């Protein structure tokens, strides 16, 4: 990044407004870089009669209810509940009086903690790093972010934001009570949303809120010790679940606006195509069809019912100019990877020691293998959609996204309407996994349904709900990249690597994903860039998905070649990495590694650090009639600290199932410049019947809190592939597994016993 | 064409095309958005409702095929189960107790499919569950789904 930003000090970061503004006598506790304006903004946006914000994220109402505004979306990962728990713990709130909701898409609720972690140079997720300098200027200016991704809500917003803001709120409430009673704050105690004084006085937070808002938040509130936690570390029921079992939960696709019409697109199959011509005369005579609107790369049919729009769009004959894109195929893309790697002209990623000399050393045993993974679609259960209403120089947007503020900025850009006149109504997300991050310059820069819906809405004099079919969703995603890696090692006489070389395709984020934790003295990790027209974007765990498969499968190859146990071999190479060794040990122990398994069952193991957490997984598999079955996955996770044990375990289960689906079935193939797969019928999903038993164990090492939304995902593909090797002697170097014929040939199973 | 849809105990007469899938009649004509669009080809089960007590994928079910039938959607599941006003069906309560949903989008269909299975087979084997519950969940709630079913069948 060319530009440098001044790092805000912790003090600057915590200086709140001098005085809270009375909006009917409630309280907002100000956690503000920018002075009192932020609390005013928050109150204007989300406080009603009698309510006050104590920070931009904490609102207390006169009836003593605390509402926590979480600047992230909850896609089911439990963020809103977990972050509310972190704030409530430090605030000494009575959990039964705590509510939580997603913050409105207003700048007052932008995620400062995240921006500050970025400015402090911490490891932050790819959607931030991908921002170019110009975009960052804007971000730095406005902290215009509500991004949910990179497994960062708990570790950044929660730890650096919610905890501090909760503690500051408690201090302000105590000060207000002490002043009211003419006693010292140190003689007052806050507990269960009540402050108690030395002479038996007591007042609820709701009664104190207006007074408390008069104080600036303390610069460095003291946080509680873990031993005193009563909320964090317990499995509180999630706020979002009741509405998800009775049909009342409203996702983007459920937006209802009076007078609303529906739009279905006819999208160019080949990426990068433009519309040449179309004849809408037949479909315009159909029942309910109102109009057609062209947008870059497609035509939308507007009707009074989505089915009518969809059927008409399917019948619409559009001629596209494919701009030569039709010559691109998976075959040509992978041939391009191989050619680029073969040229030897690569760029440096990470270099340790002198790998070239080690490879050239006399007697070095050199082992080489090439790995490859295909494109992957996200396939969120809720097909992409966006409802936009443009009239009188204003836009209203109903959508479920991983960055409501970013969406607001994007709609403003596309529509030409001023940011202040764009209102985003955040809806629930039917899955995200990285797909629902709005466009970012340089990282996720492809035209999406949000753009199309906005363009269409400008042409239609009514609110329009624009919806992709599942086919549109599968064929017009921003895909996990297809990637290839050529790995090479030089081995010493004991089969341990003296040099590690990796040349891979596409430098992606997070930047450390291709790096290895193993103590190998000479390393040369390099990459090549090969451009093509397939849109790419972040997919759960981003670059870790491919690199963990590559590296952890290759290490397994080396272990077998050395005649070593794959677990012990890794362990030996992880000298000096106690957290890695600990998760490896725990996963191995809980899985019964090395102990006899049921007949036909085999183990594979893998380990990886990502998003601040370290995960080891042991997969127990069998191969029957050439097909793999995964029976059990045992996971050991060091995420530093567990906030909500139940959702933490759920995220690990979820990550494993997401990764396992990709390992077994995931493949987006390009044919004739377009995606060959169409729906769940040919882009297959794991079902309940195939789901393994998943056994999750946490280590709370006390290391800085790590993420949990993603780290379990990348490990499983290598663990399963390594298990397949143990079972069949066949090394899986390309995914998905469904493409491999694993039918045993005579002698192979005997070999598997090596 | 006039089609009568009896949904959650209320009859609605709609002038709609007989081939319109029930899914879109429920969502766009009746505003019952608890029933979800997932795939449009009966592959994921997000759109499952009861039709005369049978779990049915509405994205491929034309309204003419259900004219006059008793349709129950997620919005009517509790009442159909005999739960008191304002109470949930036992399966829904089990879903809360086991904290099953993540994003939740597939769960309406999942609950309808599970309810239909348990109505027909109150003590399903694991194989029965595997065969009947073919709904897709991208968040991977499957272990919780199985556990929640077991919490009901163990009762």
């Amino acid at each position: 990044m060319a530009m440098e930003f001044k790092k805000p000090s912790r003090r600057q970061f915590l200086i709140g407004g001098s005085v809270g503004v009375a909006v009917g006598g409630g309280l907002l506790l100000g956690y503000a870089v920018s002075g009192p304006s932020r609390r005013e903004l928050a109150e204007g946006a989300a406080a009603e009669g009698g309510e006050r914000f104590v920070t931009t994220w904490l609102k207390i109402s006169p009836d003593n209810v605390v509402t926590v505004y979480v600047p992230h979306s909850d896609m089911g990962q439990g963020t809103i509940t977990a972050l509310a728990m972190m704030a409530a713990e430090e605030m000494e709130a009575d959990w039964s009086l705590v509510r939580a909701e997603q913050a409105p898409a207003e700048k007052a609720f932008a995620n400062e903690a995240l921006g500050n972690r970025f400015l402090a140079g911490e490891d932050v997720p790819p959607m931030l790093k991908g921002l170019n300098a110009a975009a960052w200027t804007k971000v730095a200016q406005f902290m215009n972010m509500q991004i949910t991704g990179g497994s960062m809500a708990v570790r950044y917003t929660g730890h650096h934001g919610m905890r501090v803001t909760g503690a500051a709120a408690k201090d302000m409430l105590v000060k207000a009570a002490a002043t009211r009673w003419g006693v010292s704050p140190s003689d007052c105690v806050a507990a269960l949303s009540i402050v108690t004084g030395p002479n038996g006085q007591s007042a609820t937070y709701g009664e104190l809120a207006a007074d408390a808002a008069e104080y600036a938040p303390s610069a460095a509130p003291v946080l509680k010790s873990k031993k005193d936690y009563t909320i964090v570390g317990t499995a509180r029921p999630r706020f979002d679940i009741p509405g998800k079992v009775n049909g009342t939960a409203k996702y983007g696709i459920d937006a209802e606006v009076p007078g609303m019409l529906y739009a279905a697109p006819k999208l160019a199959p080949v990426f990068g195509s433009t519309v040449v011509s179309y004849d809408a005369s037949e479909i315009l005579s159909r029942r309910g069809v109102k109009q057609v609107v062209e947008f870059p790369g497609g035509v939308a049919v507007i009707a009074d019912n989505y089915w009518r729009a969809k059927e008409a769009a399917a019948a619409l004959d559009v001629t596209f100019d494919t701009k030569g894109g039709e010559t691109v195929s998976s075959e040509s893309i992978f041939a391009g990877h191989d050619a680029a790697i073969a040229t030897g002209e690569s760029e440096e990623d990470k270099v340790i020691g002198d790998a070239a000399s080690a490879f050239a050393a006399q007697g070095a045993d050199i082992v080489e293998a090439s790995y490859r993974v295909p494109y992957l679609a996200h396939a969120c259960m809720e097909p992409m959609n966006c409802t936009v209403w443009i009239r009188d120089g204003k836009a209203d947007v109903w959508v479920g996204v991983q960055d409501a503020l970013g969406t607001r900025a994007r709609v403003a850009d596309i529509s030409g309407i001023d940011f202040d006149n764009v209102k985003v109504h955040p809806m629930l997300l039917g899955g995200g996994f990285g797909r629902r991050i709005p466009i970012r310059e340089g990282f996720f820069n492809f035209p999406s349904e949000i753009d199309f819906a906005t363009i269409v809405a400008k042409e239609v004099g009514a609110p329009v709900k624009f919806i992709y079919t599942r086919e549109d969703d599968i064929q017009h995603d921003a895909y996990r990249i297809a990637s290839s890696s050529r790995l090479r090692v030089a081995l010493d006489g004991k089969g341990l690597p003296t040099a590690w070389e990796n040349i891979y395709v596409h430098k992606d984020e997070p930047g450390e994903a291709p790096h290895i934790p193993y103590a190998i003295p000479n390393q040369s990790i390099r990459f090549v860039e090969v451009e093509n027209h397939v849109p790419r974007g972040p997919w759960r765990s981003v670059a870790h998905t491919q690199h963990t498969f590559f590296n952890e499968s290759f290490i397994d190859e080396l272990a077998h070649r050395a005649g070593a146990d794959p677990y012990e071999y890794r362990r030996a190479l992880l000298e000096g990495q106690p957290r890695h060794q600990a998760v490896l040990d725990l996963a191995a122990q809980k899985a019964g590694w090395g102990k006899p398994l049921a007949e036909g069952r085999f183990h594979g193991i893998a380990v990886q650090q990502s998003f601040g957490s370290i995960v080891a997984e042991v997969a127990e598999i069998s191969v029957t009639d050439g097909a793999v079955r995964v029976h059990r996955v045992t996971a050991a996770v060091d995420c530093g600290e567990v906030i909500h044990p139940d959702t933490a375990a759920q995220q690990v289960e979820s990550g494993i199932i997401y990764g396992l689906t990709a390992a077994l079935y995931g493949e987006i193939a390009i044919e004739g410049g377009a995606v060959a797969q169409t729906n769940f019928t040919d882009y297959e999903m794991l079902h309940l019947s195939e789901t393994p038993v998943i056994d999750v164990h946490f280590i709370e090492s006390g290391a800085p809190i790590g993420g949990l939304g993603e780290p379990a995902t990348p490990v499983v593909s290598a663990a399963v592939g390594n298990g397949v090797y143990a079972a069949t002697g066949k090394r899986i170097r390309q995914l998905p597994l469904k493409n491999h014929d694993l039918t045993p040939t005579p002698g192979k199973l005997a070999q598997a016993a090596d | 064409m006039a089609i009568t849809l009896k949904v959650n105990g209320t009859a609605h007469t709609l002038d709609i095309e007989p081939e319109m899938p029930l899914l879109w009649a429920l969502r766009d004509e009746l505003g019952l958005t608890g029933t979800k669009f997932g795939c449009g080809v009966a592959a994921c089960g997000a759109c499952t409702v009861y039709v005369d007590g049978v779990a049915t994928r509405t994205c491929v079910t034309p309204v003419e095929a259900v004219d006059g039938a008793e349709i129950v959607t997620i919005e009517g599941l509790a009442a159909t189960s005999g739960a008191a006003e304002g109470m949930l069906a036992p399966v829904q309560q089990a879903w809360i107790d086991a904290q099953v949903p993540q994003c939740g989008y597939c769960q309406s269909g999942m609950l309808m499919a599970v309810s239909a299975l348990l109505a027909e087979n109150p003590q399903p084997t694991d194989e029965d569950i595997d065969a009947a519950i073919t709904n897709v969940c991208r968040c991977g709630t499957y272990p919780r789904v199985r556990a929640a079913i077991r919490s009901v069948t163990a009762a």
Side-chain angles (χ1 to χ4, degrees):
Chain A
M1 188 169 58
M3 296 187 61
E4 288 184 6
F5 294 99
K6 189 180 163 195
K7 292 181 182 179
S9 68
R10 183 172 165 81
R11 185 170 173 80
Q12 276 177 302
F13 187 38
L14 278 172
I15 291 171
S18 55
V19 182
V21 175
V23 180
L27 177 58
L28 172 144
L29 202 145
Y31 182 80
V33 148
S34 53
S37 61
R38 208 168 144 102
R39 269 194 272 173
E40 288 176 38
L41 283 169
E43 288 185 325
E48 291 177 6
E51 298 174 329
R52 287 292 291 278
F53 274 79
V54 190
T55 74
T56 44
W57 293 338
L58 295 177
K59 188 175 79 177
I60 302 177
S61 55
D63 63 355
N64 207 20
V65 168
V66 173
T67 304
V68 183
Y69 284 85
V70 177
H72 292 288
S73 24
D74 199 325
M75 308 172 270
Q77 78 280 38
T79 297
I80 287 178
T81 307
L83 265 60
M85 287 167 63
M86 296 173 91
E89 179 73 68
E90 296 294 343
M91 196 179 177
E92 299 291 359
D94 178 342
W95 183 249
S96 69
L97 298 173
V98 175
R99 311 286 178 262
E101 53 189 80
Q102 185 179 344
E106 298 290 343
K107 286 173 185 171
F109 300 100
N111 193 337
E112 289 179 23
L114 190 56
N116 281 280
R117 286 302 99 195
F118 179 87
L119 296 173
E122 279 199 16
D123 164 37
V124 293
M127 55 287 295
L128 300 186
K129 288 182 179 172
L131 291 172
N132 65 16
W136 258 110
T137 307
K138 200 171 174 181
V139 169
Q141 197 175 351
F142 299 116
M143 288 298 174
N144 195 4
M145 294 185 298
Q146 293 181 333
I147 296 171
T148 305
S151 301
M152 66 194 175
V154 163
R155 62 189 171 127
Y156 295 129
T157 314
H159 188 65
H160 298 287
M162 292 295 170
R163 280 185 161 156
V164 175
T165 215
K170 183 194 73 180
D171 288 352
M172 291 160 74
L173 290 156
V174 168
K175 268 186 206 165
T179 305
R180 185 178 291 182
W181 301 326
V183 301
S184 166
S186 60
D187 291 332
C188 299
V189 175
L192 297 172
S193 296
I194 293 172
V195 181
T196 309
N199 305 312
Q201 308 97 321
S202 78
T204 67
Y205 286 3
E207 290 162 354
L208 293 166
D211 289 356
E214 301 297 317
Y215 296 95
S218 51
V222 178
L223 301 184
K224 292 174 74 171
S225 301
K226 191 177 174 187
K227 65 177 173 44
D228 297 324
Y229 287 169
T230 58
I231 298 171
V232 168
T234 65
R236 304 289 166 149
R238 270 176 31 218
F239 290 112
D240 54 318
I241 285 187
K244 291 175 175 178
V245 305
N246 65 15
T248 58
K250 296 291 182 195
Y251 300 81
I253 204 167
D254 303 325
E256 285 180 80
V257 188
M260 182 174 71
L261 296 174
Y262 300 82
K266 176 92 167 191
L267 296 165
V270 177
F271 300 118
S273 301
T274 55
V275 174
V276 174
S277 63
Y278 57 93
D279 178 1
S281 51
E282 185 272 321
I283 63 159
L284 282 170
S285 67
R286 291 183 173 207
R287 177 176 174 183
V289 174
K290 307 288 186 187
Q291 70 186 94
V292 296
V293 179
E294 186 181 332
F295 57 85
V299 178
V301 177
I302 321 300
D304 61 0
N305 168 299
Y306 178 64
W307 174 75
R308 291 181 186 127
K310 174 169 84 80
E311 293 296 300
L316 182 63
D317 191 15
V318 183
T319 304
F320 294 103
D321 179 351
T322 54
K323 308 280 185 191
E326 76 283 0
T327 61
V328 180
S329 65
S330 289
E331 204 173 306
S332 74
I333 288 167
F334 286 125
H337 289 186
D338 293 344
I341 290 171
T343 62
E345 290 172 21
S346 53
E347 295 176 62
E348 180 179 317
D349 176 344
K350 182 178 181 181
V351 170
I352 296 174
D354 180 359
S357 297
F359 280 110
Q362 201 167 8
D365 180 14
I366 296 174
V367 179
E368 178 179 318
S370 291
Y371 280 81
R372 173 166 292 174
V373 291
Y375 290 104
L376 293 175
H378 298 78
C380 303
M381 286 309 296
E382 179 195 10
M384 296 302 119
N385 63 85
C386 183
T387 301
V388 184
W389 185 12
I390 292 179
R391 79 283 182 216
D392 307 330
K394 289 189 217 155
D396 279 83
V397 184
W398 292 262
V399 66
V401 281
Q402 292 174 245
D403 180 5
L405 264 176
T407 299
R408 189 173 160 190
R410 181 68 179 183
V411 171
D413 281 352
I414 296 288
S415 65
I417 293 170
D418 190 74
F419 180 88
D420 291 336
N421 288 326
V422 177
K423 185 169 177 62
V424 170
H425 307 261
M427 306 292 285
L428 288 175
L429 294 75
F433 315 118
R435 175 62 178 83
R436 286 188 155 102
I437 305 263
I439 288 84
R440 298 256 166 229
E441 290 286 331
F443 181 67
F444 202 44
N445 196 8
F446 84 115
S448 79
E449 61 286 344
I450 294 170
D451 298 22
F452 302 153
T454 304
I455 293 167
V456 168
K458 281 189 81 171
E459 303 298 320
V460 178
V464 185
K465 187 191 285 185
F466 184 102
I467 309 176
Y468 274 6
T469 60
R470 175 58 58 191
E471 290 79 4
D472 295 331
D473 178 70
I474 298 283
Q475 300 191 327
H476 296 276
D477 198 345
Y479 301 89
R480 195 289 302 274
I481 58 170
S483 184
S484 303
S485 182
R486 192 188 72 190
L487 290 154
R488 218 157 64 101
V489 289
L491 301 172
D492 67 14
K494 293 177 188 161
L496 291 169
T498 58
W500 169 281
E501 180 194 83
N502 180 6
I503 303 179
Y504 64 88
V505 175
H506 291 316
K507 175 81 179 151
D508 202 349
E509 298 287 351
E512 70 276 14
H515 307 163
I516 51 173
Y518 299 109
I520 299 175
N522 303 292
Q523 298 182 23
S524 169
I525 301 173
R526 305 181 66 84
F527 64 98
V528 294
E529 290 296 342
V530 187
E531 293 305 321
N532 60 56
H533 74 341
V534 183
R536 39 176 155 142
W539 187 97
R540 196 172 193 170
S541 85
V542 206
H544 285 286
T545 60
Q546 63 264 27
H547 289 293
T548 304
F549 171 65
F550 299 158
N551 294 341
E552 280 298 292
S553 299
F554 192 52
I555 279 284
D556 209 73
E557 291 199 44
L558 303 180
H560 284 280
R561 191 181 172 89
D565 176 280
Y567 155 58
E568 296 289 354
Y569 187 84
R570 281 177 176 79
R571 213 181 179 292
L573 283 171
L574 287 167
E575 202 55 51
Q577 302 274 19
R579 294 179 69 203
H580 284 76
Q581 289 182 326
V583 291
L584 208 52
D585 290 348
L586 184 61
Q589 179 216 327
K590 295 291 184 184
W593 181 271
K595 293 183 179 156
L597 291 169
E599 194 182 345
R601 301 282 182 93
F602 297 87
H603 270 159
I605 193 167
V607 62
Q608 174 68 1
Q609 175 167 1
S610 62
F611 306 97
S613 294
I614 308 176
V615 180
E617 292 172 14
V618 174
E620 180 182 328
I621 67 114
S622 64
V623 177
T624 306
D625 299 331
V628 183
R629 168 91 202 206
V630 181
H631 301 276
R632 177 182 289 269
V633 177
T634 306
V637 181
D638 177 0
C639 57
E641 178 186 351
V642 174
I643 304 301
H644 188 303
D646 192 49
T647 51
Q650 280 193 13
Q651 281 308 295
V652 175
E653 293 166 9
S654 173
I656 287 169
I657 290 170
Y658 204 77
L660 185 56
T661 303
L664 295 175
Y665 304 123
E667 181 175 38
I668 289 293
I670 308 299
E671 290 174 12
V675 169
Q677 285 69 29
T678 61
N679 203 313
F680 293 135
T681 47
D682 49 10
Y683 188 66
E684 299 148 73
M685 298 290 125
L686 197 81
H687 289 85
L688 184 144
S689 61
E690 307 151 280
T691 299
V693 173
I694 299 176
D695 193 15
V696 183
H697 304 273
F698 288 101
I699 294 176
E700 295 196 70
S701 64
I705 303 182
L708 281 176
E710 294 166 283
T713 297
V715 191
V716 71
S717 56
V720 171
N722 296 339
V724 168
Y725 182 81
T728 65
K730 183 174 171 61
R731 177 55 64 184
I732 303 301
R733 297 196 184 97
Q734 296 184 15
L735 294 177
L737 276 150
K738 70 168 183 175
N739 292 346
H740 295 272
D741 179 7
L742 299 172
T743 311
T745 48
K748 281 283 183 186
L749 276 171
Q751 184 191 335
D754 68 355
Chain B
M1 178 179 164
I3 300 276
T4 299
L5 295 181
K6 286 173 69 181
V7 185
N8 302 329
T10 305
H12 306 265
T13 301
L14 300 172
D15 171 23
I16 53 175
E17 300 88 324
E19 67 272 25
M20 180 183 291
L22 176 58
L23 171 65
W24 300 109
L26 291 171
R27 289 183 57 84
D28 294 357
E29 302 296 320
L30 298 179
L32 291 169
T33 55
T35 304
K36 302 303 186 195
F37 170 44
C39 67
V41 296
C44 78
C47 65
T48 305
V49 305
Y50 288 176
V51 175
D52 290 333
V54 177
T56 301
R57 294 186 175 183
T58 58
C59 69
V60 294
T61 304
V63 288
E64 65 184 337
V66 296
D67 195 350
E70 293 285 347
I71 297 162
V72 177
T73 69
I74 187 70
E75 290 92 343
L77 179 61
T80 303
S81 75
E85 179 84 26
M87 299 298 283
L88 294 169
V91 170
Q92 290 171 305
Q93 189 56 51
W95 247 236
I96 292 178
D97 295 344
Q99 297 279 290
V100 172
Q102 289 185 32
C103 90
Y105 191 80
C106 70
Q107 299 294 336
S108 295
M110 193 73 85
L111 282 159
M112 296 309 294
V114 167
S115 300
L117 166 68
L118 296 180
E120 189 186 294
N121 180 0
Q123 294 294 330
T125 63
D126 275 338
E127 291 69 29
D128 294 337
I129 294 170
D130 287 348
I133 308 305
T134 57
N135 301 50
V136 173
C137 170
R138 284 294 273 157
C139 298
T141 60
Y142 301 127
R144 305 288 171 125
V145 166
R146 192 182 296 277
I149 293 172
R150 282 295 171 227
S151 77
V152 177
T153 59

